[in-house]
Amino acid sequence: MTTIKDVAKLAGVSTATVSRVMNGTGYVNPSTKKKVNSAIKQLDYRPNDVARSLFKGKSKMIALFVPDIMNPFFPELARAVEDVTNHHGYTFILCNTDDEIEKEQTYLNALQQKSVDGIIIVSSTITKELISKIKIPIIALDRIIGANMSSVTVNNREGAREAVRYLKSIGCQRIAHICGPDHVINTAERMKGYLDEVKDEDWFLSSYIVSGEYYFQTATQAMKKLLTVHPEIDGIFVGNDLMGVGVLKGAKELGIRVPDELSVIAFDGIMLGETTTPSLTTMAQPIYEIGARAAEMLLEQINDSKYQSKREEFTVQLIERQSTRKRGESIDR
Amino acid sequence: MTTIKDVAKLAGVSTATVSRVMNGTGYVNPSTKKKVNSAIKQLDYRPNDVARSLFKGKSKMIALFVPDIMNPFFPELARAVEDVTNHHGYTFILCNTDDEIEKEQTYLNALQQKSVDGIIIVSSTITKELISKIKIPIIALDRIIGANMSSVTVNNREGAREAVRYLKSIGCQRIAHICGPDHVINTAERMKGYLDEVKDEDWFLSSYIVSGEYYFQTATQAMKKLLTVHPEIDGIFVGNDLMGVGVLKGAKELGIRVPDELSVIAFDGIMLGETTTPSLTTMAQPIYEIGARAAEMLLEQINDSKYQSKREEFTVQLIERQSTRKRGESIDR
DNA sequence: CTGAAAGCGCTAACAT
DNA sequence: ATGTTAGCGCTTTCAG
């Protein structure tokens, strides 16, 4: 490996000078600068980032924690974070935590020991105590963690309300909800939104709410059980798209026609929802934007000593596709 | 940040001794070991990995290059690599290259400067020259890169043949192929397999082969155009599952019933293929296994100075689902 | 404008 | 069995 010394020797200057031209710090005579640059080129020299990191205590790396990389929502999010961070010269590290606090703990330690500059976290299990022990900048994404840390989220509750209102507006009379896992804050928020709209309806039953655990297969099962017990259900608001697709699958298996007999709306707006037939109506999050915004905020926090933590909330947007239709409207396919 | 010096001071020993107990190298008196360990605990000391890396020239990090993180195949693969590497105490870095050689180049440099210990690469664009400049261990995954580097792949050609033979065996008379992008070696292999089985059939036309570029939407378009021009087609072998789902979508839009009028088989075996209705018959790769195996090989190569490069090929397996059915068989749904 | 030298935190000879 | 010391490759005072 060629080092700064080799360059210095070849250019006939000191290592300090080489460092100066590399970093553009301090004055250096144009002619020596030329010599140095040509030496660098000649040797195809690249500075050792590890040595740099050791000196600076920074690594030019940032990490993203996601609970489930197999849920397409997270690759889309990761993609955004990666784009932004790369663009600013950072190396991006993706960590899959399975929403297990032990894995989060392990990653947190490992990354800290590597002088990672900042972390974006999607987590429901991580605790404030754990975070407070970490001195590096952290941003919460998709789910608020608490404490006074910055976060980027969407209006889950209002989005859920909108979804349910939409179902009502197209004539659904019995609306159920397939929710996510208990411990996820989004689950609670979206459920609140659902309840806001249905709890005073005379048809509402608490057994209209079942959990699909944010998994495809679990949602299929849950949906089938639900519709078997409650065949009167004609609309379902599903907690995320992955489960929404599971519900579509369950309907097919039950011989229930979507959207003719049952309207389904979900949440997230991932590409998966466009692949099915019928395609999935959904409350779409601006996935790329929130990922990108979180990355930008993290970079601000890293580079600005007097950064103030803030919470930003984005709005979800209804995307009507084929899994919902006004009651009684004709089938034109 | 607490350093080894702090620990040494508190324990009343030298930093060398602390280092020795941490690493379990050399002799150290049980009683001093105790003192050191308690000092470590008391200070909640964690060694600085950057300093370690600088000294050792190794970072305990390994990276995986994938061409498209939005294709669910790659998260599944990444998951496997991550599991294995974490299990061995390595930090895992996922790099999305978009199959662009510039991004690969950039990542390669960045990672090398960070003393990354090894890289697993899924790439069609990377060149032998680029690789040969890198001195760190590299393994090719999913696609052979050439040179004499280790690789983990599947029997694409034979798998493709099997897929087409299966289509024939259930009575398909006109079998088309939606292939991936030109530059991907898998595309070529799978196409060869297809051609092996159909090129001598009197019905075969070269216009039965169209590209879906490994994208969902492109495949949908390609499929619709194909079936419009060639309505006689009754079987399609699709280059991967993502496109397979696109083909299913296209069929729905065209009003072609799958599998009654058209049988569709794809390649990969990702979870996405189970989410659709009909679910997708496919030649399933052992995704997790090949990812895990590549990771293991990389670790071998990192730790074994006399490692011999090798190529391992796994077998794909037919998974019959709902997108294929024997001609003339009754519909029981 | 440039060089000498200290030091980031750790490990591995080399002494003792 | 333990301490001393010389780096790993880089950056940044501090001199000149």
Side-chain angles (χ1 to χ4, degrees):
Chain A
M1 190 187 219
T2 116
T3 76
I4 198 172
K5 275 189 185 170
D6 304 321
V7 178
K9 196 175 295 174
L10 180 61
V13 298
S14 75
T15 61
T17 304
V18 176
S19 175
R20 281 196 267 268
V21 332
M22 278 200 306
N23 299 293
T25 63
Y27 294 103
V28 39
N29 191 300
S31 79
T32 48
K33 186 184 285 189
K34 235 173 207 114
K35 280 191 296 181
V36 170
N37 276 324
S38 90
I40 288 179
K41 216 161 291 170
Q42 194 175 329
L43 296 172
D44 192 31
Y45 166 71
R46 324 208 178 233
N48 180 325
D49 272 345
V50 179
R52 264 185 185 173
S53 292
L54 178 58
F55 184 87
K56 299 223 177 191
K58 299 188 171 196
S59 63
K60 280 279 179 181
M61 299 193 291
I62 78 104
L64 169 66
F65 285 19
V66 300
D68 179 13
I69 199 181
M70 310 270 275
N71 178 342
F73 178 77
F74 295 110
E76 292 194 31
L77 208 54
R79 182 56 205 266
V81 175
E82 193 202 11
D83 281 355
V84 173
T85 52
N86 278 352
H87 191 257
H88 289 262
Y90 285 76
T91 298
F92 170 70
I93 299 182
L94 182 59
C95 306
N96 187 249
T97 63
D98 293 328
D99 239 332
E100 287 171 16
I101 196 153
E102 296 81 13
K103 288 191 77 177
E104 292 175 329
Q105 176 74 268
T106 307
Y107 269 123
L108 240 26
N109 287 337
L111 295 177
Q112 208 173 188
Q113 296 183 60
K114 291 188 183 310
S115 300
V116 163
D117 296 357
I119 309 182
I120 299 174
I121 296 190
V122 180
S123 171
S124 305
T125 52
I126 210 162
T127 61
K128 292 154 207 167
E129 297 80 55
L130 209 57
I131 301 251
S132 64
K133 284 189 189 160
I134 308 297
K135 322 112 182 110
I136 50 187
I138 302 189
I139 304 254
L141 176 56
D142 181 56
R143 307 171 188 183
I144 286 177
I145 290 176
N148 57 335
M149 76 196 260
S150 290
S151 62
V152 178
T153 52
V154 299
N155 58 341
N156 287 293
R157 184 167 184 170
E158 181 52 32
R161 295 188 65 161
E162 210 178 306
V164 177
R165 282 199 299 265
Y166 169 73
L167 249 23
K168 284 181 175 176
S169 79
I170 60 174
C172 293
Q173 316 259 5
R174 297 284 188 282
I175 300 173
H177 177 43
I178 310 264
C179 65
D182 278 349
H183 64 279
V184 178
I185 205 160
N186 292 346
T187 297
E189 288 299 306
R190 292 172 196 171
M191 192 184 301
K192 276 183 204 160
Y194 165 77
L195 286 171
D196 288 342
E197 297 295 331
V198 304
K199 68 173 186 301
D200 292 332
E201 300 285 346
D202 50 16
W203 48 258
F204 174 66
L205 301 170
S206 62
S207 53
Y208 278 8
I209 304 179
V210 296
S211 175
E213 299 296 327
Y214 276 172
Y215 291 121
F216 169 79
Q217 273 156 335
T218 314
T220 303
Q221 300 312 319
M223 180 280 180
K224 286 165 79 172
K225 199 177 296 176
L226 179 67
L227 270 281
T228 305
V229 179
H230 293 297
E232 74 276 15
I233 288 168
D234 57 1
I236 305 185
F237 164 54
V238 190
N240 74 3
D241 282 353
L242 190 57
M243 296 194 297
V245 174
V247 165
L248 257 28
K249 181 92 184 172
K252 276 277 175 36
E253 293 182 8
L254 248 33
I256 297 175
R257 284 170 302 139
V258 174
D260 309 312
E261 304 174 78
L262 176 71
S263 277
V264 177
I265 184 169
F267 205 104
D268 273 358
I270 62 179
M271 221 195 54
L272 177 65
E274 302 173 44
T275 65
T276 53
T277 308
S279 53
L280 190 63
T281 294
T282 194
M283 300 304 303
Q285 303 193 43
I287 304 180
Y288 194 93
E289 279 94 325
I290 62 175
R293 184 65 193 120
E296 283 162 8
M297 279 175 59
L298 184 61
L299 294 177
E300 281 175 38
Q301 190 172 348
I302 288 172
N303 298 312
D304 178 5
S305 54
K306 52 189 188 302
Y307 172 89
Q308 293 288 331
S309 90
K310 52 189 147 195
R311 304 188 169 225
E312 291 191 6
E313 191 176 87
F314 284 67
T315 352
V316 298
Q317 190 190 356
L318 173 67
I319 297 187
E320 287 187 72
R321 289 201 283 245
Q322 303 163 338
S323 65
T324 49
R325 188 180 319 116
K326 208 169 187 76
R327 291 301 94 160
E329 243 179 43
S330 70
I331 304 160
D332 45 42
R333 250 173 311 154
Chain B
M1 189 186 217
T2 116
T3 77
I4 198 172
K5 275 189 185 171
D6 304 321
V7 178
K9 195 174 296 174
L10 180 61
V13 299
S14 75
T15 61
T17 303
V18 176
S19 175
R20 279 195 271 267
V21 333
M22 278 200 306
N23 300 293
T25 64
Y27 293 104
V28 39
N29 189 301
S31 79
T32 48
K33 185 183 285 189
K34 235 173 207 114
K35 278 191 297 182
V36 170
N37 276 325
S38 90
I40 289 178
K41 215 160 291 168
Q42 194 176 329
L43 297 172
D44 191 31
Y45 165 71
R46 322 210 180 234
N48 180 326
D49 272 344
V50 179
R52 268 187 181 169
S53 292
L54 178 59
F55 183 85
K56 298 222 176 190
K58 299 189 170 194
S59 63
K60 280 277 180 182
M61 299 194 291
I62 79 104
L64 170 66
F65 285 20
V66 299
D68 178 14
I69 199 181
M70 311 269 274
N71 178 341
F73 178 77
F74 294 111
E76 292 193 31
L77 209 54
R79 182 57 204 265
V81 175
E82 193 202 13
D83 281 354
V84 172
T85 51
N86 278 353
H87 192 257
H88 289 262
Y90 286 75
T91 297
F92 171 71
I93 299 182
L94 183 58
C95 306
N96 187 249
T97 64
D98 293 326
D99 239 332
E100 286 172 16
I101 196 155
E102 296 81 13
K103 287 191 77 175
E104 292 175 329
Q105 176 74 268
T106 307
Y107 269 124
L108 240 28
N109 287 337
L111 296 177
Q112 209 173 186
Q113 291 176 226
K114 291 189 184 308
S115 300
V116 162
D117 295 357
I119 309 182
I120 299 175
I121 296 190
V122 180
S123 171
S124 304
T125 52
I126 209 161
T127 61
K128 292 153 207 167
E129 298 80 55
L130 210 56
I131 300 251
S132 64
K133 283 188 187 159
I134 309 297
K135 320 113 181 110
I136 50 186
I138 301 189
I139 304 256
L141 176 55
D142 182 54
R143 308 171 187 183
I144 285 175
I145 290 176
N148 55 335
M149 78 196 259
S150 290
S151 63
V152 178
T153 51
V154 299
N155 60 340
N156 288 292
R157 184 167 183 169
E158 181 52 32
R161 294 188 65 162
E162 210 177 306
V164 177
R165 280 199 300 265
Y166 169 73
L167 251 22
K168 284 181 175 176
S169 78
I170 59 174
C172 293
Q173 315 261 5
R174 299 283 189 282
I175 300 173
H177 178 42
I178 311 264
C179 65
D182 277 350
H183 64 278
V184 177
I185 205 161
N186 292 346
T187 298
E189 289 298 306
R190 292 172 195 171
M191 193 184 300
K192 277 184 204 160
Y194 165 76
L195 287 171
D196 288 343
E197 297 295 330
V198 304
K199 68 172 186 301
D200 292 333
E201 300 286 346
D202 49 16
W203 50 258
F204 174 67
L205 301 170
S206 63
S207 53
Y208 279 8
I209 304 179
V210 297
S211 176
E213 300 295 329
Y214 275 172
Y215 291 121
F216 168 79
Q217 273 156 335
T218 316
T220 302
Q221 300 312 319
M223 180 281 180
K224 286 165 80 173
K225 198 177 296 176
L226 179 67
L227 270 281
T228 306
V229 178
H230 292 298
E232 75 276 15
I233 287 168
D234 58 0
I236 305 185
F237 165 54
V238 191
N240 73 4
D241 282 353
L242 190 58
M243 296 194 297
V245 174
V247 165
L248 257 27
K249 181 94 184 172
K252 275 277 174 37
E253 294 182 8
L254 248 34
I256 297 175
R257 285 170 302 139
V258 175
D260 308 312
E261 304 174 78
L262 176 71
S263 276
V264 177
I265 184 170
F267 205 104
D268 274 357
I270 61 180
M271 221 194 54
L272 177 65
E274 302 174 45
T275 67
T276 54
T277 308
S279 53
L280 190 63
T281 294
T282 195
M283 300 304 303
Q285 303 194 42
I287 304 180
Y288 194 93
E289 279 95 325
I290 62 175
R293 184 67 193 118
E296 282 162 9
M297 279 176 58
L298 183 61
L299 294 177
E300 281 175 37
Q301 190 172 346
I302 289 171
N303 298 312
D304 179 5
S305 54
K306 51 190 189 301
Y307 171 88
Q308 294 287 332
S309 91
K310 53 189 145 195
R311 304 187 168 225
E312 290 190 8
E313 192 175 85
F314 284 67
T315 352
V316 298
Q317 190 191 355
L318 174 66
I319 297 188
E320 287 188 72
R321 289 201 282 246
Q322 303 163 339
S323 66
T324 49
R325 187 179 321 115
K326 207 168 188 77
R327 292 300 93 161
E329 244 180 40
S330 70
I331 303 160
D332 47 42
R333 248 174 307 155

